[in-house]
Amino acid sequence: MSGQPLSLFEMDDSSRPLADRLRPRTLADVVGQDHLLAADAPIGRMVGAQRLVSMILWGPPGCGKTTIARLLAEQTDLAFEPLSATFSGVADLRKVFQAAKYRGEIGQGTLLFVDEIHRFNRAQQDSFLPYVEDGTIVLVGATTENPSFELNGALLSRCQVFVLKRLDETALETLIGRAEERIGAPLPLDVDARQSLVAMADGDGRYLLNMIEQIQNLTEPVDSATLAAAVQKRAPLYDKAQEGHYNLISALHKSMRGSDPDAALYWLARMLDGGEDPLFIARRITRFATEDIGMADPNAIQQALAAWDVYERLGSPEGELAIAQAVLYLATAPKSIGVYRGFNRAHAAAKRTGSLMPPGHILNAPTRLMKDLGYGKGYQYDPDTDTGFSGADYFPDGMPRQTFYEPTANGYERAITERLQLWAQQRSASPGASTGDNSTTPETD
């Protein structure tokens, strides 16, 4: 947002929103996006060379996407054609394309700015392709959604995607200073309230300036409590059906996997504050208990299921504490993907080997015919042996013994590793163990 004073011949229309009155007049005035707009940055170099390519500006609300598009047109001498995908259709696009063709014939280029471009369907997006490809228009699309998910691959291949950042505290403080300069007086805020104002904006410059408009005429010094009562806090950016949903659950999952309980609690709180369904989180942490902990701590799955059950009984907000407890338990538990890997290996082997029959000695023989065919012959009842382990081979006949489950040295799996090593030694010492007498063996499972 620009803080440049008005000229003698320019009227200050105070009826316009402050955000509009402070709209930047040059790219140098845009705050928070130097990684794209500086002279040696990608967009800055294009402007310096006076040669733009079609692009997608991807970023959160209030970071300057519309303003940047307008300034790009001004600083490269292109006609600016704005459209909103929310209110426009194919007929509107045809008019723009026809006008752009006419301008091209007289040597004038066109920058077509499409706000919320992700709202166009696939057919509408396809309509851009020939005009982008032949240079009739320079397309600048703005979106708050991940272009990888929302835009056609064909359109993306013809555009560069630039990621705009949410405005940090320094950028927001710069906007506050420009607003105070335009208003002609400092805001009536104490130090804590000023920090609260920045926090309440949550990276959205337009929202910050709208809040300033609400408080600029207050006469009494405002503290944080008074500020909270005077303006409405901005809702956190979180769309349960879009990328934010997947980003935050991934952050929670990976924080637990990385054994960072504090980060895990933070992302849990972010999701709950954003309105996420706690039962979705309960399902996800139950999956985590089996996938990332498994036999390293067999109690982890019980903790996750207990939290799920408690939430279903208590609801919000009381039940959320049980989910938080489970998140802490899982984050601080020993980790292992031994079960996950072992099952995947076994699944792959099952697909390769097809319909191999179990070995005869572990088949039940409830009828005389089955006994005559050798079902159950030589089976040893492991609990009835001296060591509780017979060493028998339970793989199908003709299939060599394989190792799928490889426990780690973490948590309870350390004891499992020692036990499996002992059994492997006993199995090697008695290779014919599976052919012993089964006279005392029960005939059922």
Side-chain angles (χ1 to χ4, degrees), residues 350-423:
K351 287 185 175 180
R352 287 196 308 271
T353 56
S355 303
L356 292 178
M357 284 286 291
H361 72 96
I362 64 173
L363 296 176
N364 290 332
T367 69
R368 180 171 295 278
L369 174 61
M370 296 170 79
K371 288 181 180 180
D372 293 342
L373 292 173
Y375 282 32
K377 184 178 181 180
Y379 176 67
Q380 295 185 80
Y381 186 60
D382 288 69
D384 198 35
T385 62
D386 292 339
T387 62
F389 178 76
S390 70
D393 184 5
Y394 296 96
F395 277 89
D397 293 333
M399 178 178 175
R401 179 172 187 80
Q402 299 182 35
T403 299
F404 301 129
Y405 174 49
E406 296 179 351
T408 67
N410 302 332
Y412 181 67
E413 280 195 320
R414 182 186 297 273
I416 296 176
T417 298
E418 295 173 356
R419 196 177 306 150
L420 290 177
Q421 289 173 347
L422 174 61
W423 288 340

Side-chain angles (χ1 to χ4, degrees), residues 389 391 422-432:
F389 178 76
L422 174 61
W423 288 340
Q425 293 171 2
Q426 294 177 353
R427 187 180 289 111
S428 298
S430 56

Side-chain angles (χ1 to χ4, degrees), residues 42 46 53-57 139 155-162:
M46 290 184 201
V53 301
S54 292
M55 66 186 75
I56 304 297
L57 302 178
L139 173 64
L155 183 58
L156 281 178
S157 71
R158 291 164 173 81
C159 300
Q160 290 194 32
V161 176
F162 295 112

Side-chain angles (χ1 to χ4, degrees), residues 248-261 263-265 279-305 308 323-341:
L248 266 62
I249 193 60
S250 177
L252 172 61
H253 194 123
K254 289 182 173 64
S255 297
M256 293 190 297
R257 179 182 290 162
S259 300
D260 190 334
L265 277 182
L279 289 176
F280 167 77
I281 301 174
R283 289 191 294 272
R284 184 63 176 246
I285 66 174
T286 302
R287 167 193 163 186
F288 176 89
T290 59
E291 182 178 304
D292 289 270
I293 297 176
M295 293 296 290
D297 184 352
N299 193 45
I301 186 65
Q302 299 302 324
Q303 291 288 326
L305 289 171
W308 191 341
I323 295 177
Q325 177 180 327
V327 164
L328 287 176
Y329 187 97
L330 301 180
T332 55
K335 307 301 188 297
S336 170
I337 57 172
V339 173
Y340 180 79
R341 283 179 172 168

Side-chain angles (χ1 to χ4, degrees), residues 42-95:
I43 296 179
R45 288 195 297 268
M46 290 184 201
V47 174
Q50 292 291 290
R51 188 171 182 82
L52 295 183
V53 301
S54 292
M55 66 186 75
I56 304 297
L57 302 178
W58 173 28
C63 67
K65 297 185 291 296
T66 303
T67 295
I68 290 172
R70 188 179 297 276
L71 292 174
L72 286 176
E74 291 179 4
Q75 295 188 216
T76 55
D77 294 324
L78 296 176
F80 184 69
E81 284 276 8
L83 281 179
S84 171
T86 306
F87 302 109
S88 304
V90 173
D92 301 292
L93 291 174
R94 288 199 187 103
K95 292 178 182 178

